[in-house]
Structures are given as C-alpha cells and as structure tokens.
Amino acid sequence: MGIALPQFLLDIDGASGGILLLWIVGVCILLPLVIAVIYLSRSSKYTGNYVMHHTLYTYYHLMKPSLAPSKVMEVFIKAAEYGEIPVRRTDTEPLQKLFLLVRSELNLDLKNIKQEQAKFWKQHPAMVKTELLIQAQLTRESAALSPGLLGDFKHVLELAPRLLEELMKMALVPRNAQGHGWLRPAVGVAELSQCIIQAVPLSARKTIGGSTEGIAPFLQLPHFNEAVVKKIARKKVRTFQELRDMTLDERAELLTLVAGFSSTEVQDVERVLEMMPSLTVEVTCETGGEEGIQEGDLVTVHAWVTLERTNGLVGALPHAPYYPFQKEENFWFLLAEPTSNNVWFSQKVNFMDEAAAITAASKAIEETMEGSGADVKETSRAVREAVEKVRAGSRLVLGKFLAPPEGNYSLVCHCVCDSWIGCDKKVNLKVKVLKRTRAGTRGGAAAEEAVMDDGIEEEEEIEEEEDYESEYSEDEADKLDTKKKSVANGKVTAKGSSSEGSGSDEE
C-alpha cells in the first residue's frame, strides 16, 4: 500500500488522510465484494430461464402421469418464487373477501364445505395467497383487490409464463426407457396457461353440448359472456369453430339480432377473430435412406407448422386485455400416443422471429440433404424452398426419436397454443414399426433370399471342385466330403451365417 498510495493517505495521525483511506478501502474494496457475494448467492438459486432450482425440483417430483388439468393448479402454485411472496397481517381481510368471490372455482367438496375451507386455509399462507390471486385473474375479479394485494397480483402474473413453461418441460421430460414424457399433464399445463392469459375460469372449459372446450373460447372475445353464449346456442351455433366458419354477414346478423350487439361491438369481435391464428400441420416420420421403420431405428420427425390469420400477419401479440404484461404466443408441437399417455417427441414453436426461423430451417435442411448424399444443386433448391415456406408463415419442426417395439401405432400430433383458447390443432398419424432382422437389414424376406442365393453359389463352387478330387490325397477328399455334408445340412453358409431363418430374431 505504501507503494500504491501517496504518502498523505498513509498518515493515519492526520484526520483527513486517515478518513480518506478508510473511505477508499470501504467503498472501492469492501462494498463491491459484499455486492458480488450477495449477487452470486442469489443467482446460484436460478436456472438460465430465471426459475429457481428448487422450483424445478418441486415440479419434477409433483408431476404425475395421470395429473388432470383441474389439478395442474395445485402443482403450479408450489413454485419457490411464489413461496417468497410476503403475507402481511393487513392481507387477511382482503383475502377472505376474495375467497368468497372465487370459492366456486376452487376444488372444494361442497358436501363438507366447512372442513374443506378449514383445510384450504391451513395450507402455506403464501400458497393460499397465490392461488387466490390467480383465481382473481381467471374470474376477472382483480378490480376487487385492495391496493396492498394489487402489487402482489401483478407480480404473480408476471412470473406465470416462465413458471408455466418450466412446468411444461417437467411434464415432457423423459420418464421411461424410451425417453417419453406424459401427454395428459402437458395438455393441462397448456390449458392453464391459456386461461391465465385470457382471464377465463377453468370451469368454463367443461364440455357442454357439442363443444369439448365448453364456452371458454367464446369468453376471450370482447363483450361475450355466458348469457350471450346461451343466446347464440339457440341458433345452432354451439362450438367456437362454427362461429369462426361463418361469413362476415352471417356473423354480423347473428351478433346483432340474437346477441344484441351494436355495430361497434360487432367490429370489436371481428378484429379479435382476425387476429386469432389458424394452424395446419404436415408431418412425416421416416428413417433416413430406408423404406420402412424397424424397432430400435433412429426415426426422424419432419413437420411443417403453418400459421394463418385473416388479417395477414404471421407474428403478433395475442389479444389479452386482462393480462397486464406483453406476452408472445408460443406453440408446443407434441407427437404423442394417447392410449399410452406417452409423448414421443416435443418442440416449442414460435412465429415472432422470422430471421431466426430462416437460419434454423436452412441449417437443418442443409444438414439433412448432405446426410442423404444429395448434390449441391438439390441441397440449394431444398434450402431455397424451406426459406420461402418460412417467409410464408411456416415453421420447421425437425427432431429424432427411437422407434418403439414392433407394431402399428396410432399417433396424434398436438399443436397447442399457450395464449389462445380454441386454436389448437390435432393431426392423426399412423406409424408402422417392423421387426428388426438379425442382420439389421431391411425386409426379412429379402435378406433371407439373399442369404439363400449365397448358399447356392457356395454349393456350386464346391461341386466344381469335385472335378479335381484326383489332385488331392485321400485325407483331403474325406475333408471335402465332410464339408459337402455340412452344406447339405444347412450348417455352413456364405459369410459365416446360417441359411436357415437368417432373418429371425429368435435364433
């Protein structure tokens, strides 16, 4: 320090020099160290997506294969971030009032309502507060919140998209030897995300009439409520898709004469309908360079997801007037087998960044074409076509999974949105997996026929050698006779393989 600092700073006896030295040491050395220690201790709790490690651990262990969509909320609110929300004494009365407003949306047994209420309030105070605030969003009761709760309400909603994305990943994380995730909880997470963004209660998704999603899709439209949905249902418009498929004039007449909307309100509805996406999915599963798929093969999933809107846009923010933050719409591509509840392949799809999508699609197509042995012209043409598709509103989904055991599989490609209700797409896909031959070749019959041909050629060669028996000794002739008998018994074939059942796994 004597070398680094001037002499007057080291004069401890002098008042100004000593104070200045202490100030430099404290502000320039100790304070940055304290800040660094605090930052590192806090950042070590979080992942790259700014979600706590403890939250991922909790989500992973609470996720169940049979988790119903109505039960996803119970897992979602267990995030460590929500556990740190302060619960003040002044929050008691406002939370009790909020509980009475949203009680019908909570999973409480009405037959034992007193016991259920007592059980609800015995939970961790932060979890109780979080669930009530989320229910306030779903039921659109945020106006009834006290000023003290309003700040916590916005904090809960701001964290929701990140936590829901990680909860989705925990549902899709490989859980068995085949590397499959779970379909049912994954769909439940997407449905909860849709309801939070659009501020629609989960109870509105119950199947009614011919609609599997209930009245929930209608409630995300301006000026729509349960009474309006009942009115248009009398005119045989029971599903949301039926409303979207109507012409402008037919829909205007329905909303004006039946629902009682004004011309301005009808225009509000039309603007939102023009923003809502419509998806088409083209998907194939194949093994590179082979005609069929055999068990244990590395299967390539190749899909194009195309988004269209009536207003002509591709990337757009969803209409969510009750969600206080900007939210990009994302889609999850899930290739699943519903009967076994297994998700074979999953990938997140986003339509906002076109440049990134072009780069990713060009690279993927180029690697695929080069791997298949295509020349430069074919590769360039394929890349050019992929770029045109991306600019037209399509996104490439490319991935791999291991083929399951032999059999015929009925798969479903789910493309679910995390922001809109009623815009999900399902496509059925049949996949046939063949039994693997012992040699690992394609087509057991063809392989067996090839081996038989090799055996015949071997016998012909041996017969030609019989003409030269006179050149050998008697011992060599005996050996040749032994070899011929072995061939006749099917024990020796070309390339050291048996001619009997060469395409069978059982041998």
Side-chain angles (χ1 to χ4, degrees), residues 63-134:
M63 186 63 63
K64 304 297 180 184
S66 59
L67 191 67
S70 60
K71 299 292 184 180
V72 172
M73 175 75 78
E74 298 177 6
V75 178
F76 172 61
I77 63 174
K78 297 296 192 303
E81 287 83 350
Y82 289 152
E84 295 182 348
I85 293 179
V87 181
R88 299 170 289 269
R89 291 184 179 180
T90 55
D91 294 338
T92 303
E93 185 177 351
L95 287 177
Q96 289 178 347
K97 292 181 179 179
L98 181 59
F99 172 80
L100 296 176
L101 293 174
V102 303
R103 182 171 56 181
S104 60
E105 293 296 323
L106 302 174
N107 290 323
L108 302 179
D109 186 4
L110 298 179
K111 296 181 180 178
N112 302 315
I113 188 63
K114 292 184 178 180
Q115 296 178 359
E116 290 289 315
Q117 289 182 6
K119 182 179 178 181
F120 177 81
W121 289 105
K122 284 182 180 179
Q123 298 180 94
H124 192 284
M127 301 295 102
V128 172
K129 184 176 182 178
T130 300
E131 184 170 2
L132 290 177
L133 292 177
I134 293 176

Side-chain angles (χ1 to χ4, degrees), residues 228-475:
V228 172
V229 176
K230 290 181 178 179
K231 289 180 180 179
I232 64 175
R234 298 191 187 103
K235 297 298 181 179
K236 307 301 182 182
V237 181
R238 296 186 176 88
T239 66
F240 187 66
Q241 190 59 44
E242 290 176 351
L243 181 68
R244 295 186 69 182
D245 291 340
M246 298 176 70
T247 63
L248 291 175
D249 294 337
E250 292 174 345
R251 195 159 46 237
E253 182 179 357
L254 175 71
L255 297 178
T256 303
L257 301 180
V258 179
F261 284 7
S262 64
S263 58
T264 304
E265 292 174 337
V266 172
Q267 291 177 2
D268 293 340
V269 173
E270 290 298 336
R271 275 195 292 268
V272 175
L273 289 175
E274 289 175 356
M275 294 175 61
M276 298 188 73
S278 296
L279 300 177
T280 55
V281 180
E282 301 174 4
V283 59
T284 58
C285 293
E286 58 187 7
T287 304
E290 305 291 350
E291 294 182 357
I293 299 175
Q294 287 189 4
E295 51 187 0
D297 280 350
L298 193 61
V299 183
T300 300
V301 181
H302 186 282
W304 282 102
V305 181
T306 304
L307 182 146
E308 294 180 353
R309 306 180 203 269
T310 308
N311 59 11
L313 297 177
V314 176
L317 296 176
H319 172 77
Y322 294 94
Y323 188 74
F325 304 98
Q326 282 192 348
K327 169 70 173 66
E328 291 184 1
E329 59 183 20
N330 296 301
F331 298 84
W332 286 91
F333 178 89
L334 309 176
L335 180 63
E337 185 186 19
T339 55
S340 63
N341 194 36
N342 288 334
V343 177
W344 292 15
F345 173 79
S346 63
Q347 185 172 316
K348 183 181 176 182
V349 183
N350 184 278
F351 288 85
M352 293 296 293
D353 195 345
E354 182 181 287
I358 290 176
T359 302
S362 300
K363 184 178 179 181
I365 293 296
E366 185 176 356
E367 292 177 352
T368 302
M369 296 298 292
E370 289 178 354
S372 63
D375 57 24
V376 178
K377 290 184 178 179
E378 292 177 346
T379 302
S380 300
R381 183 170 61 254
V383 170
R384 189 164 53 252
E385 291 175 355
V387 171
E388 292 175 357
K389 280 189 174 183
V390 172
R391 288 175 177 169
S394 299
R395 294 294 181 267
L396 175 63
V397 176
L398 196 64
K400 299 180 183 296
F401 65 89
L402 286 177
E406 176 190 12
N408 295 321
Y409 296 88
S410 298
L411 305 182
V412 178
C413 297
H414 294 262
C415 200
V416 295
C417 183
D418 67 348
S419 304
W420 294 98
I421 305 175
C423 295
D424 301 340
K425 185 70 175 180
K426 292 182 182 180
V427 177
N428 296 323
L429 179 66
K430 301 287 186 179
V431 174
K432 183 178 182 180
V433 180
L434 305 174
K435 190 172 184 178
R436 176 167 291 280
T437 62
R438 199 174 86 173
T441 56
R442 298 290 165 195
E448 184 176 351
E449 184 177 348
V451 174
M452 291 177 63
D453 291 341
D454 290 340
I456 293 172
E457 292 176 1
E458 182 76 13
E459 288 184 292
E460 290 176 354
E461 292 176 0
I462 295 174
E463 290 176 356
E464 290 177 0
E465 291 176 358
E466 288 180 355
D467 296 336
Y468 301 93
E469 284 184 304
S470 59
E471 299 180 7
Y472 298 100
S473 64
E474 294 180 358
D475 294 337

Side-chain angles (χ1 to χ4, degrees), residues 76 134 137-138 157 160 164 192-199 323:
F76 172 61
I134 293 176
Q137 167 69 3
L138 298 178
L157 294 184
L164 286 167
L192 177 60
S193 177
Q194 295 170 4
C195 289
I196 290 177
I197 301 302
Q198 295 295 337
Y323 188 74

